[in-house]
Amino acid sequence: MAEKPQVAETVAALRQHVKAWRGADESVALVPTMGALHEGHMGLVELARSKARRVVVSIFVNPTQFAPNEDFSRYPRTFEADLAKLAEVEADLVYAPSPAEMYPQGFSTGIVMTGPAQGLESDFRPHFFSGVAIVVSKLFLQCLPDYALFGEKDYQQLKVVTRMARDLDLQLEIVPGPTAREGDGLALSSRNRYLNPQERATAPVIHRSLLAAAEAIRAGTAPDAAMARARAAISEAGLKVDYVEARHAETLAPLNGAGGPIRLLAAAWLGTTRLIDNIGV
Ligand code: AMP
């Protein structure tokens, strides 16, 4: 079995590793995660490996991106299994800070974002992107990587982080990774383990409906009509829809008849589990 990666639990320890690599002129990629790792995360680590000599995977369930009524306390934590998986893909270092290390007593700083952060997730999780922006910018400043990898699975997050890195002149490249899926199309997610067998069988309806909508739009159907059909199909399967929307793929602005690349994005509840997915047209 491959050797488990080293673990750094403090900013100081992380910086020591990175400093040694920099001294040897080695490039560094960071893959931020909340753990409960699956093949989607592994794909990002492998992509990171192809970009940089050294790969850091952070595992931190970030309290500031959960609202009080959300699943922070029940979010799956599988640290030992995560380490074993990261050994297989030869990650160099796992950075696993405690909440107190990330948010020292008296923490008082925030980041406010507009643009791609507006609407979609923000309409239903208003705290979410400020939590993501602060934790991701802290991870960037702690690690100072050359590359940071983010999955298209969380497409709005990818766009928000890319925008933030550009706006703040952060000296790193945001690298997107494709969405890893189950055979039936369900996007891999740490939250899929909340689904009971019946819900698991229903869940691919989101991807299926988005695929059908993309197909219809390519064939000339108006996006609004195609998305209404997708929304109806997802609801009829018993999910509670938060949003099913067509947006400009880069700015995430509503289409309003304007041209440009289109991204279809959806979020819906299956029982007590919230699932999100998206595809390009
Ligand atoms: P998370 O641990 O869910 O916060 O995700 C950490 C990173 O993995 C984020 O950049 C996600 O977009 C990415 N990710 C999560 N699920 C997938 C997936 N199915 N395919 C590709 N990337 C993913």
Side-chain angles (χ1 to χ4, degrees):
M1 218 179 87
E3 216 172 291
K4 285 193 179 168
Q6 286 192 283
V7 177
E9 295 182 343
T10 62
V11 179
L14 169 67
R15 285 188 170 147
Q16 221 161 33
H17 284 276
V18 174
K19 189 176 174 190
W21 297 334
R22 293 294 183 198
D25 219 12
E26 294 175 337
S27 56
V28 179
L30 172 69
V31 183
T33 82
M34 299 205 298
L37 301 181
H38 51 63
E39 285 305 310
H41 299 114
M42 293 306 124
L44 291 182
V45 176
E46 278 160 12
L47 189 53
R49 283 239 69 91
S50 74
K51 288 272 175 191
R53 172 68 184 84
R54 298 290 181 176
V55 176
V56 180
V57 177
S58 63
I59 296 182
F60 181 63
V61 185
N62 175 34
T64 64
Q65 70 192 65
F66 291 79
N69 61 328
E70 292 182 346
D71 59 345
F72 175 72
S73 54
R74 77 161 180 152
Y75 195 85
R77 288 161 172 88
T78 60
F79 192 66
E80 287 306 317
D82 292 349
L83 284 189
K85 286 183 185 169
L86 291 172
E88 295 302 321
V89 289
E90 294 178 35
D92 293 283
L93 183 70
V94 170
Y95 176 47
S98 65
E101 180 74 5
M102 269 304 206
Y103 297 109
Q105 188 81 43
F107 190 86
S108 308
T109 302
I111 295 180
V112 178
M113 289 204 56
T114 58
Q118 286 173 316
L120 302 172
E121 286 299 296
S122 292
D123 286 343
F124 298 89
R125 307 183 71 193
H127 55 282
F128 180 66
F129 285 120
S130 51
V132 167
I134 196 68
V135 79
V136 166
S137 55
K138 281 176 66 77
L139 290 168
F140 289 173
L141 291 166
Q142 292 166 349
C143 183
L144 297 177
D146 303 289
Y147 304 93
L149 290 283
F150 288 86
E152 287 184 343
K153 155 75 169 33
D154 300 277
Y155 192 80
Q156 190 178 15
Q157 170 175 280
L158 167 66
K159 293 299 162 189
V160 165
V161 169
T162 304
R163 185 71 244 175
M164 181 186 78
R166 175 69 194 86
D167 289 351
L168 298 181
D169 302 305
L170 301 182
Q171 204 171 11
L172 83 179
E173 185 187 331
I174 306 294
V175 180
T179 301
R181 298 181 181 280
E182 301 282 5
D184 59 10
L186 175 63
L188 297 185
S189 164
S190 305
R191 290 187 168 99
N192 289 352
R193 70 189 71 198
Y194 300 152
L195 301 172
N196 67 34
Q198 194 189 338
E199 291 167 343
R200 173 63 192 80
T202 304
V205 70
I206 299 178
H207 182 237
R208 234 177 15 245
S209 304
L210 293 181
L211 278 180
E215 181 80 1
I217 292 168
R218 279 194 294 268
T221 304
D224 278 356
M227 296 324 281
R229 224 177 292 157
R231 204 171 295 125
I234 294 169
S235 298
E236 277 158 24
L239 286 84
K240 189 177 88 53
V241 169
D242 273 356
Y243 59 83
V244 176
E245 297 283 342
R247 292 294 176 101
H248 188 284
E250 289 310 317
T251 63
L252 294 183
L255 297 180
N256 295 331
I262 297 175
R263 197 87 189 175
L264 310 181
L265 306 102
W269 289 88
L270 190 44
T272 55
T273 306
R274 188 170 184 274
L275 300 175
I276 64 171
D277 202 351
N278 69 89
I279 61 169
V281 173

